[in-house]
Coordinates of all heavy atoms in Angstrom, one line a residue:
L1 N -136.1 -65.5 32.2 CA -135.0 -66.2 31.6 C -134.0 -65.2 31.0 O -132.8 -65.4 31.1 CB -135.5 -67.3 30.6 CG -134.4 -68.2 30.0 CD1 -133.8 -69.0 31.1 CD2 -135.0 -69.1 29.0
A2 N -134.5 -64.2 30.4 CA -133.7 -63.2 29.7 C -132.9 -62.4 30.8 O -131.9 -61.8 30.4 CB -134.5 -62.2 28.9
E3 N -133.3 -62.4 32.0 CA -132.7 -61.6 33.1 C -131.3 -62.3 33.5 O -130.4 -61.6 33.9 CB -133.6 -61.5 34.3 CG -134.8 -60.7 34.0 CD -135.8 -60.7 35.1 OE1 -135.6 -61.5 36.1 OE2 -136.8 -60.0 35.0
K4 N -131.3 -63.6 33.4 CA -130.1 -64.3 33.8 C -128.8 -63.8 33.2 O -127.8 -63.6 33.8 CB -130.2 -65.8 33.7 CG -131.2 -66.4 34.7 CD -131.3 -67.9 34.6 CE -132.3 -68.4 35.6 NZ -132.4 -69.9 35.5
P5 N -128.8 -63.7 31.8 CA -127.5 -63.2 31.2 C -127.1 -61.8 31.6 O -125.9 -61.5 31.7 CB -127.8 -63.2 29.7 CG -129.1 -63.8 29.5 CD -129.7 -64.0 30.8
V6 N -128.1 -60.9 31.9 CA -127.8 -59.6 32.3 C -127.2 -59.6 33.7 O -126.2 -58.9 34.0 CB -129.1 -58.7 32.2 CG1 -128.8 -57.3 32.8 CG2 -129.6 -58.6 30.8
L7 N -127.8 -60.4 34.6 CA -127.3 -60.5 36.0 C -125.9 -61.1 36.0 O -125.0 -60.6 36.7 CB -128.3 -61.3 36.8 CG -129.7 -60.6 37.1 CD1 -130.6 -61.6 37.7 CD2 -129.5 -59.4 37.9
F8 N -125.8 -62.2 35.2 CA -124.5 -62.8 35.2 C -123.4 -61.9 34.6 O -122.3 -61.8 35.2 CB -124.5 -64.1 34.3 CG -123.2 -64.8 34.1 CD1 -122.8 -65.6 35.1 CD2 -122.4 -64.6 33.0 CE1 -121.5 -66.3 35.0 CE2 -121.2 -65.2 32.9 CZ -120.8 -66.1 33.9
T9 N -123.7 -61.1 33.6 CA -122.7 -60.2 33.0 C -122.4 -59.1 34.0 O -121.2 -58.7 34.1 CB -123.3 -59.6 31.7 OG1 -123.5 -60.7 30.8 CG2 -122.3 -58.6 31.1
S10 N -123.4 -58.6 34.7 CA -123.2 -57.5 35.7 C -122.2 -58.0 36.8 O -121.3 -57.3 37.2 CB -124.5 -57.1 36.3 OG -125.3 -56.5 35.3
L11 N -122.4 -59.2 37.3 CA -121.6 -59.8 38.3 C -120.2 -60.2 37.8 O -119.2 -59.8 38.4 CB -122.2 -61.0 38.9 CG -123.5 -60.8 39.8 CD1 -124.2 -62.0 40.1 CD2 -123.0 -60.1 41.1
F12 N -120.2 -60.8 36.7 CA -119.0 -61.4 36.1 C -118.0 -60.3 35.7 O -116.8 -60.5 35.7 CB -119.3 -62.3 34.9 CG -118.2 -63.2 34.5 CD1 -118.0 -64.4 35.2 CD2 -117.5 -63.0 33.4 CE1 -117.0 -65.3 34.8 CE2 -116.5 -63.9 33.0 CZ -116.2 -65.0 33.7
T13 N -118.5 -59.2 35.3 CA -117.6 -58.1 34.9 C -117.2 -57.1 36.0 O -116.6 -56.1 35.7 CB -118.2 -57.3 33.7 OG1 -119.5 -56.7 34.1 CG2 -118.4 -58.2 32.5
S14 N -117.6 -57.4 37.2 CA -117.3 -56.5 38.3 C -115.8 -56.7 38.7 O -115.2 -57.8 38.4 CB -118.1 -56.8 39.5 OG -117.8 -58.1 40.1
M40 N -120.2 -67.0 43.5 CA -121.3 -66.3 42.8 C -122.6 -66.3 43.7 O -123.0 -67.4 44.1 CB -121.5 -67.0 41.5 CG -122.6 -66.3 40.6 SD -122.1 -64.8 39.9 CE -121.4 -65.3 38.4
L46 N -129.6 -62.8 45.6 CA -129.8 -61.5 44.9 C -131.2 -60.9 45.3 O -131.3 -59.7 45.3 CB -129.8 -61.7 43.4 CG -128.5 -62.2 42.8 CD1 -128.6 -62.4 41.3 CD2 -127.4 -61.2 43.1
L60 N -130.9 -56.5 45.3 CA -129.7 -56.5 44.6 C -130.0 -56.9 43.1 O -129.4 -56.4 42.2 CB -128.6 -57.4 45.2 CG -127.3 -57.5 44.5 CD1 -126.6 -56.1 44.3 CD2 -126.4 -58.4 45.3
R61 N -130.9 -57.9 43.0 CA -131.3 -58.4 41.7 C -131.8 -57.3 40.8 O -131.3 -57.1 39.7 CB -132.4 -59.5 41.9 CG -132.9 -60.0 40.6 CD -134.2 -60.8 40.8 NE -134.9 -60.9 39.6 CZ -135.7 -60.0 39.0 NH1 -135.8 -58.8 39.6 NH2 -136.3 -60.2 37.9
N62 N -132.7 -56.5 41.3 CA -133.3 -55.4 40.5 C -132.2 -54.3 40.3 O -132.1 -53.7 39.2 CB -134.5 -54.8 41.1 CG -135.7 -55.7 41.0 OD1 -135.7 -56.6 40.2 ND2 -136.8 -55.4 41.7
F63 N -131.4 -54.0 41.3 CA -130.3 -53.0 41.2 C -129.4 -53.4 40.0 O -129.1 -52.6 39.2 CB -129.6 -53.0 42.5 CG -128.5 -51.9 42.6 CD1 -128.8 -50.6 43.0 CD2 -127.2 -52.2 42.3 CE1 -127.8 -49.7 43.1 CE2 -126.2 -51.3 42.4 CZ -126.5 -50.0 42.8
L64 N -128.9 -54.6 40.0 CA -128.0 -55.1 39.0 C -128.7 -55.2 37.6 O -128.1 -54.8 36.6 CB -127.4 -56.5 39.3 CG -126.5 -56.5 40.5 CD1 -126.2 -58.0 40.8 CD2 -125.3 -55.7 40.4
L65 N -129.9 -55.6 37.6 CA -130.7 -55.8 36.3 C -130.9 -54.4 35.7 O -130.7 -54.3 34.5 CB -132.0 -56.5 36.6 CG -132.8 -56.9 35.4 CD1 -132.0 -57.8 34.5 CD2 -134.1 -57.6 35.8
K66 N -131.3 -53.4 36.5 CA -131.5 -52.1 35.9 C -130.3 -51.5 35.3 O -130.2 -51.0 34.2 CB -132.1 -51.1 37.0 CG -133.5 -51.4 37.3 CD -134.0 -50.4 38.4 CE -135.4 -50.7 38.8 NZ -135.9 -49.8 39.9
R67 N -129.2 -51.5 36.1 CA -128.0 -50.9 35.7 C -127.3 -51.7 34.5 O -126.8 -51.2 33.6 CB -127.0 -50.7 36.9 CG -127.5 -49.5 37.7 CD -127.0 -49.6 39.2 NE -127.5 -48.5 39.9 CZ -128.8 -48.4 40.4 NH1 -129.6 -49.3 40.2 NH2 -129.2 -47.3 41.0
G68 N -127.3 -53.0 34.7 CA -126.7 -53.9 33.7 C -127.5 -53.8 32.4 O -126.9 -53.8 31.3
G69 N -128.8 -53.8 32.5 CA -129.6 -53.7 31.3 C -129.4 -52.4 30.5 O -129.3 -52.4 29.3
E70 N -129.2 -51.3 31.3 CA -128.9 -50.0 30.6 C -127.6 -50.1 29.9 O -127.4 -49.5 28.9 CB -129.1 -48.9 31.6 CG -128.9 -47.5 31.0 CD -129.2 -46.4 31.9 OE1 -129.9 -46.5 32.9 OE2 -128.7 -45.3 31.6
L71 N -126.6 -50.7 30.6 CA -125.3 -50.8 30.0 C -125.2 -51.7 28.7 O -124.5 -51.4 27.8 CB -124.3 -51.3 31.0 CG -123.9 -50.4 32.2 CD1 -123.1 -51.1 33.2 CD2 -123.1 -49.2 31.6
I72 N -126.0 -52.7 28.7 CA -126.0 -53.7 27.6 C -126.9 -53.2 26.5 O -126.5 -53.3 25.3 CB -126.4 -55.1 28.1 CG1 -125.4 -55.6 29.1 CG2 -126.7 -56.0 27.0 CD1 -125.8 -56.8 29.9
W73 N -128.1 -52.8 26.8 CA -129.1 -52.5 25.7 C -128.8 -51.1 25.1 O -129.5 -50.1 25.5 CB -130.5 -52.6 26.3 CG -131.6 -52.6 25.3 CD1 -131.5 -52.7 23.9 CD2 -133.0 -52.4 25.5 NE1 -132.7 -52.6 23.3 CE2 -133.7 -52.5 24.3 CE3 -133.7 -52.3 26.7 CZ2 -135.1 -52.3 24.2 CZ3 -135.1 -52.1 26.6 CH2 -135.7 -52.2 25.4
L78 N -130.2 -55.3 19.9 CA -130.5 -56.1 21.2 C -131.9 -55.9 21.6 O -132.3 -56.2 22.8 CB -129.5 -55.6 22.2 CG -128.1 -55.9 22.0 CD1 -127.2 -55.2 22.9 CD2 -127.8 -57.4 22.1
Q80 N -134.5 -57.6 21.1 CA -135.2 -58.9 21.5 C -134.9 -59.1 23.0 O -135.8 -59.5 23.8 CB -134.7 -60.1 20.7 CG -135.5 -61.3 21.0 CD -135.1 -62.4 20.0 OE1 -134.1 -62.4 19.3 NE2 -135.8 -63.5 20.0
L81 N -133.7 -58.9 23.4 CA -133.3 -59.1 24.9 C -134.0 -57.9 25.6 O -134.6 -58.1 26.7 CB -131.8 -59.0 25.1 CG -131.3 -58.9 26.5 CD1 -131.7 -60.1 27.3 CD2 -129.8 -58.6 26.6
G82 N -133.8 -56.7 25.1 CA -134.3 -55.5 25.8 C -135.8 -55.6 26.1 O -136.2 -55.2 27.2
Q83 N -136.6 -56.0 25.2 CA -138.0 -56.1 25.4 C -138.4 -57.1 26.5 O -139.4 -56.9 27.2 CB -138.7 -56.4 24.1 CG -138.6 -55.2 23.1 CD -138.9 -55.6 21.7 OE1 -139.2 -56.7 21.3 NE2 -138.9 -54.6 20.8
K84 N -137.6 -58.1 26.7 CA -137.9 -59.1 27.7 C -137.5 -58.5 29.1 O -138.1 -59.0 30.1 CB -137.1 -60.4 27.4 CG -137.6 -61.1 26.2 CD -136.8 -62.3 25.9 CE -137.3 -63.0 24.7 NZ -136.5 -64.2 24.3
I85 N -136.7 -57.6 29.2 CA -136.3 -57.0 30.5 C -136.8 -55.6 30.7 O -136.5 -55.0 31.7 CB -134.7 -57.1 30.7 CG1 -134.0 -56.2 29.6 CG2 -134.3 -58.5 30.7 CD1 -132.5 -56.1 29.9
S86 N -137.5 -55.0 29.7 CA -137.9 -53.6 29.8 C -138.8 -53.3 31.0 O -138.8 -52.2 31.4 CB -138.6 -53.2 28.5 OG -139.8 -53.9 28.3
T88 N -138.4 -54.1 33.9 CA -137.5 -53.7 35.0 C -136.5 -52.6 34.7 O -136.3 -51.7 35.5 CB -136.7 -54.9 35.5 OG1 -137.5 -56.0 35.7 CG2 -135.8 -54.6 36.7
V89 N -136.0 -52.6 33.5 CA -134.9 -51.6 33.1 C -135.5 -50.4 32.5 O -134.7 -49.4 32.4 CB -133.8 -52.2 32.3 CG1 -133.2 -53.4 32.9 CG2 -134.3 -52.6 30.9
R105 N -121.5 -48.3 36.1 CA -120.5 -49.3 36.3 C -120.0 -49.3 37.7 O -119.8 -50.3 38.4 CB -119.4 -49.1 35.2 CG -118.4 -50.2 35.2 CD -118.9 -51.5 34.6 NE -119.0 -52.4 35.7 CZ -119.6 -53.6 35.7 NH1 -120.2 -53.9 34.6 NH2 -119.6 -54.4 36.7
I108 N -122.5 -50.6 40.2 CA -122.5 -52.1 40.2 C -121.3 -52.6 40.9 O -121.4 -53.5 41.8 CB -122.5 -52.6 38.7 CG1 -123.9 -52.4 38.0 CG2 -122.1 -54.1 38.7 CD1 -123.9 -52.7 36.6

Side-chain angles (χ1 to χ4, degrees):
L1 189 61
E3 297 172 350
K4 287 182 181 181
V6 176
L7 292 169
F8 178 81
T9 301
S10 297
L11 288 164
F12 197 76
T13 59
S14 70
M40 179 72 90
L46 296 177
L60 179 58
R61 177 194 162 280
N62 285 348
F63 183 89
L64 294 174
L65 190 57
K66 285 179 182 177
R67 285 156 181 80
E70 186 173 336
L71 288 168
I72 294 168
W73 190 13
L78 295 168
Q80 189 174 12
L81 170 68
Q83 289 164 359
K84 292 177 182 174
I85 61 172
S86 64
T88 305
V89 303
R105 187 71 252 166
I108 289 172

